[in-house]
Amino acid sequence: MTTQVQYPFDQALIESFSVQNNEPDWFKNLRLAALEKIDVLPLPNPDRTKIDKWNFTHFQQHAQASSVYTNVDQLPEQVKSLINVEGGVKNLYVQHNQTAGFVSLSDELKQKGVIFTDLLTAVKEHGDLVQKYFMTNAVKVDENRLTAFHTALVNGGAFLYIPQNVQINEPIQTIFVHDNADAPLINHVLIVADKNSAVTYVENYFSLNDELEGIANIITEVIAQDNANVKFGAVDTLAKGVTTYVNRRGYAWRDARIEWALGLMNDGNTISDNTTNLHGDGSFADTKTVVVGRGKQIQNFTTRVIHHGKGTEGFILKHGVVKDNATTVFNGIGKIEHGASKSNAEQETRVLMLSDKARGDANPILLIDEDDVMAGHAASVGRVDPTQLYYLMSRGISKAEAERLIIYGFLAPVVNQLPVEGVKKQLTEVIERKVK
Amino acid sequence: MAGSTLVIKDLHVAIEDKEIIKGLDLEIKPGEFHAVMGPNGAGKSTLASAIMGHPKYEITSGTVTMDGKDVLEMEVDERAKAGLFLAMQYPSEISGVTNADFLRSAINAKREEGNEIPLMQFIKKLDKTMEYLEMDLNMAQRYLNEGFSGGEKKRNEILQLMMLEPSIAILDEIDSGLDIDALKVVSKGINAMRSNDFSCLIITHYQRLLNYITPDFVHVMIQGRIVKSGGPELAQRLEAEGYDWIKKELGIEDEIEVG
């Protein structure tokens, strides 16, 4: 592949962006080194979806100043409803396109040494920590063209650090509000949970306007040190015209646990990679994902758990509804490396088809390079079960309402696991709107 | 509600082009309890499913009316709203939908919009009924029938019956898979429904259930037809002597399965 692509960015643009933000040299150099790799690296290769014609890298301008949200009152109503305002806003970061809004973190957590800030500030003020974990463990700069693109051009995001032995009970929340399509959302969330710590985190990617077009390149890295416990929730609702690459990765050390609850409700074409690397012995991953595909949307969801450590456990659950002319591919990969004895890789993928023209593909893969392990998978693609419909209707419930109940129940596993009531409600409403 | 009358005339039902019910007549008046008994494969459960409108069963001829209205023209949910209820032999499991939410949707489906059952009234009635059926109150918050044991599912069917208060209930082998204690509880629930406004069609393989629920009429079904009707004493004779004497008396030959 030697065709010369004309990108809307170059070294000068990146340098000037970096200087404007007063970024330290190491970060600027990381960007510039990544820039060199964009052209030579291939696009990611999501199984069963062809993406070479998709636009992941072209945009009007790299960053544009948006109005700064300085408190909750300034937030649009739809965003406000995501927050538990009663009893005061606790631990929250809100970002407007690329512009960092306010961060709130309780005094108690500050005293305990918890760090929670926007990413570009973290690069400056907590450079040692960020440098150690940013694109080093979970995601690598040179994995593919989009990870290199991300590193070179990252223009927003958040950093959360939980020190050793700190257990946080209140959820930590981020909201990324998107209402300007000219500038790409190249967003990075880095969560580092130090030894024996515990945290529950939930994030929203939220398009305010249904008609937006543009690109989103999102990378989230969750590092769980020995015996740390991270519960991660997300609801994505980016607009129809937004092409999204979203890569959420976990890296678990000894006896660490990472639990994902992902409501992936974008309306545009989306490539999602959610991988957990069970590096340490006895580490654990549970990943629950629900998705709805509608319109002409093409989506590919790859969920992967890689077992390196001994006695590791990985559970994948994916439930998807596909309607209209949408195409949705679900790749579930359980990989047990040589030496990861006594490990257990389980996965379940269920796809519900609501139209004749929709396409759904469940693709379970077990890659096992060790004898003494357990593994299992279940996958199905089908329609709403007529026997279930009959059962509900035999109690007087109309066909439409019976279908609604069955579909809602089918997508419930993630809703039930989200830690913030407002976000739970939002996902419920989004599901109802999308499957109607 | 003043009860309903269900009239079945010359009913023929097929599944996948195989005729199972071959001309069946039955009339159930308000307040009456009818039991339909018969050997395996007689078509008893097919009768129950056909009346309720299971999509797999095809009515090839005959009529079913309720208070003169054509039941076969109705959608399944309309049959329920008209006052029919079927306690199923194999209730479906619905993940993600709690028992309580489902029951409230079902009750409200029968009521006019804007006249939904008040939440507190619903909870009180649910708690009371569950206690009556000796059910763990936590079962209200569990997903509908998901992971329920056979006995729990049957109790849950009776819970629905008592919450929805239909005018005619069909019980399809409600006794199968129940131990004696569960059978007593289930029977207690059904007997509590007895009134001039409530009638019941009990489909069973065993006379045992009829020790706890006394039917007014007993019908014997063999090879897709009701071949003999009588009172409760008929059930006792069947329990003691089996079905062979009836076949002999009526000259019915065993069908030979082909294929």
Side-chain angles (χ1 to χ4, degrees):
Chain A
M1 246 189 62
T2 50
T3 40
Q4 197 58 42
V5 185
Q6 209 53 44
Y7 289 115
F9 49 86
D10 58 12
Q11 188 172 339
L13 178 133
I14 289 170
E15 271 181 357
S16 92
F17 182 76
S18 187
V19 166
Q20 209 180 344
N21 287 306
N22 296 316
E23 289 174 3
D25 281 345
W26 70 266
F27 200 67
K28 186 173 80 181
N29 293 336
L30 190 67
R31 287 181 182 277
L32 294 174
L35 174 69
E36 297 297 313
K37 294 178 182 144
I38 294 176
D39 248 345
V40 293
L41 289 168
L43 280 171
N45 185 19
D47 204 6
R48 301 187 183 190
T49 304
K50 203 165 163 326
I51 58 169
D52 53 342
K53 298 278 190 322
W54 293 25
N55 171 35
F56 289 106
T57 49
H58 285 72
F59 49 79
Q60 300 293 319
Q61 52 188 132
H62 178 223
Q64 200 185 48
S66 304
S67 65
V68 183
Y69 301 134
T70 54
N71 61 51
V72 174
D73 295 334
Q74 290 173 342
L75 296 175
E77 282 305 318
Q78 306 104 294
V79 177
K80 251 189 237 176
S81 67
L82 298 173
I83 305 165
N84 287 346
V85 224
E86 284 164 38
V89 173
K90 296 248 167 60
N91 309 308
L92 174 68
Y93 169 65
V94 183
Q95 181 180 306
H96 189 190
N97 298 308
Q98 294 79 36
T99 305
F102 65 92
V103 186
S104 106
L105 183 69
S106 71
D107 290 339
E108 188 199 340
L109 294 183
K110 278 182 203 156
Q111 277 159 18
K112 285 181 174 166
V114 173
I115 300 168
F116 185 39
T117 179
D118 73 275
L119 184 81
L120 298 182
T121 300
V123 165
K124 285 175 271 188
E125 295 181 3
H126 307 282
D128 49 340
L129 275 171
V130 178
Q131 188 169 12
K132 189 170 170 196
Y133 296 107
F134 182 84
M135 301 294 282
T136 56
N137 270 144
V139 183
K140 301 272 180 11
V141 176
D142 58 0
E143 248 173 61
N144 61 54
R145 185 177 305 161
L146 301 183
T147 56
F149 171 86
H150 179 93
T151 312
L153 291 145
V154 60
N155 58 12
F159 174 63
L160 172 63
Y161 172 77
I162 306 101
Q164 271 192 43
N165 303 322
V166 173
Q167 318 264 325
I168 304 180
N169 299 321
E170 296 275 345
I172 308 262
Q173 189 175 9
T174 59
I175 301 174
F176 301 99
V177 180
H178 178 237
D179 65 0
N180 178 336
D182 289 348
L185 203 60
I186 307 175
N187 213 63
H188 194 103
V189 172
L190 175 60
I191 299 173
V192 179
D194 216 326
K195 290 174 185 165
N196 303 314
S197 67
V199 66
T200 300
Y201 166 90
V202 61
E203 66 184 16
N204 274 99
Y205 283 91
F206 197 97
S207 285
L208 275 187
N209 177 341
D210 290 345
E211 303 306 317
L212 290 176
E213 296 204 358
I215 64 171
N217 178 315
I218 297 161
I219 294 183
T220 293
E221 299 182 279
V222 174
I223 315 293
Q225 301 278 25
D226 291 357
N227 209 32
N229 189 335
V230 180
K231 290 190 167 74
F232 186 106
V235 178
D236 298 351
T237 51
L238 293 170
K240 193 165 77 180
V242 179
T243 301
T244 303
Y245 170 72
V246 53
N247 185 341
R248 292 187 169 102
R249 286 278 174 84
Y251 199 91
W253 296 82
R254 192 184 178 95
D255 296 322
R257 294 171 70 89
I258 301 178
E259 291 167 59
W260 307 90
L262 309 175
L264 306 180
M265 298 289 151
N266 288 343
D267 271 334
N269 293 349
T270 298
I271 299 299
S272 165
D273 174 333
N274 170 222
T275 298
T276 312
N277 207 317
L278 297 177
H279 184 79
D281 292 351
S283 54
F284 172 96
D286 180 75
T287 135
K288 292 191 171 75
T289 309
V290 295
V291 315
V292 176
R294 66 169 173 176
K296 291 180 178 167
Q297 219 180 345
I298 298 172
Q299 298 190 95
N300 183 300
F301 302 95
T302 299
T303 311
R304 194 186 285 111
V305 177
I306 303 171
H307 302 250
H308 285 281
K310 290 185 180 22
T312 53
E313 284 190 295
F315 297 94
I316 296 172
L317 177 146
K318 289 203 279 190
H319 284 187
V321 169
V322 192
K323 55 182 273 199
D324 303 335
N325 297 292
T327 299
T328 312
V329 177
F330 298 87
N331 298 313
I333 303 168
K335 187 163 195 259
I336 301 185
E337 303 284 4
H338 185 63
S341 53
K342 310 281 184 207
S343 289
N344 184 15
E346 299 287 341
Q347 60 167 293
E348 178 195 324
T349 304
R350 309 252 174 237
V351 185
L352 208 50
M353 310 288 291
L354 298 189
S355 109
D356 290 334
K357 289 175 186 148
R359 290 188 50 199
D361 196 348
N363 182 23
I365 301 166
L366 287 170
L367 302 165
I368 296 175
D369 201 11
E370 173 62 48
D371 293 330
D372 183 16
V373 299
M374 303 221 301
H377 66 76
S380 66
V381 178
R383 299 184 168 274
V384 173
D385 179 357
T387 312
Q388 287 186 335
L389 269 184
Y390 164 67
Y391 185 68
L392 294 180
M393 288 174 73
S394 79
R395 303 313 187 226
I397 295 171
S398 69
K399 190 173 180 194
E401 175 68 6
E403 272 179 345
R404 195 193 69 82
L405 279 172
I406 292 168
I407 293 165
Y408 175 74
F410 178 71
L411 297 174
V414 166
V415 176
N416 293 342
Q417 217 162 315
L418 292 171
V420 175
E421 208 47 50
V423 180
K424 213 178 239 190
K425 211 169 144 232
Q426 177 218 8
L427 180 57
T428 305
E429 283 165 10
V430 170
I431 289 171
E432 302 221 329
R433 199 167 65 228
K434 290 189 76 162
V435 298
K436 198 163 67 185
Chain B
M1 205 180 280
S4 293
T5 301
L6 185 76
V7 181
I8 301 167
K9 277 192 185 149
D10 193 29
L11 187 70
H12 292 251
V13 183
I15 177 165
E16 285 155 9
D17 293 331
K18 184 173 189 272
E19 187 166 63
I20 307 286
I21 294 181
K22 302 163 182 170
L24 184 143
D25 297 272
L26 185 64
E27 180 170 346
I28 300 173
K29 295 200 179 81
E32 292 178 353
F33 274 39
H34 290 246
V36 170
M37 302 184 69
N40 281 331
K44 303 186 300 291
S45 286
T46 300
L47 175 63
S49 299
I51 297 171
M52 199 69 228
H54 192 292
K56 260 194 174 168
Y57 296 87
E58 193 197 343
I59 314 285
T60 47
S61 69
T63 60
V64 178
T65 59
M66 203 166 147
D67 302 325
K69 278 178 258 162
D70 186 352
V71 170
L72 302 179
E73 277 297 302
M74 299 179 193
E75 294 292 333
V76 176
D77 58 320
E78 291 167 343
R79 298 180 196 201
K81 282 187 203 160
L84 265 179
F85 181 92
L86 171 60
M88 299 201 189
Q89 194 178 356
Y90 304 109
S92 288
E93 300 188 3
I94 318 273
S95 187
V97 178
T98 64
N99 223 354
D101 282 349
F102 157 68
L103 272 170
R104 199 144 70 96
S105 297
I107 289 174
N108 286 333
K110 285 193 176 182
R111 298 165 74 112
E112 297 286 308
E113 219 176 296
N115 184 32
E116 286 84 7
I117 185 167
L119 185 59
M120 282 316 294
Q121 190 186 326
F122 169 75
I123 292 172
K124 267 189 196 157
K125 184 172 180 180
L126 180 60
D127 284 354
K128 209 178 108 194
T129 315
M130 288 182 87
E131 270 167 29
Y132 189 79
L133 293 172
E134 297 167 35
M135 291 170 78
D136 179 356
L137 292 186
N138 291 324
M139 285 180 77
Q141 293 311 320
R142 283 175 60 188
Y143 292 152
L144 180 53
N145 293 326
E146 194 181 57
F148 285 24
S149 70
E152 284 173 331
K153 282 182 182 165
K154 294 296 168 74
R155 264 182 226 224
N156 209 37
E157 292 292 285
I158 302 306
L159 174 69
Q160 293 172 38
L161 168 70
M162 295 179 76
M163 293 293 289
L164 295 173
E165 301 176 1
S167 54
I168 300 179
I170 305 163
L171 311 175
D172 187 7
E173 305 216 2
I174 196 72
D175 50 337
S176 67
L178 289 186
D179 62 33
I180 197 75
D181 291 329
L183 184 67
K184 282 181 185 167
V185 171
V186 161
S187 305
K188 185 172 85 165
I190 296 159
N191 284 325
M193 296 290 292
R194 237 188 220 278
S195 80
N196 292 332
D197 299 336
F198 175 74
S199 36
C200 205
L201 176 60
I202 301 161
I203 286 171
T204 180
H205 192 64
Y206 304 103
Q207 199 267 338
R208 189 178 68 147
L209 176 67
L210 306 181
N211 291 335
Y212 299 97
I213 308 169
T214 314
D216 304 301
F217 304 93
V218 173
H219 310 279
V220 180
M221 189 168 175
I222 295 177
Q223 293 174 13
R225 292 183 191 92
I226 287 176
V227 295
K228 197 172 180 67
S229 298
E233 73 291 344
L234 180 55
Q236 273 152 23
R237 188 165 174 203
L238 290 172
E239 180 72 3
E241 300 176 34
Y243 293 98
D244 284 347
W245 64 273
I246 296 185
K247 289 183 191 166
K248 214 169 179 182
E249 190 179 295
L250 299 173
I252 298 167
E253 307 243 340
D254 282 339
E255 286 174 322
I256 296 154
E257 278 294 324
V258 181

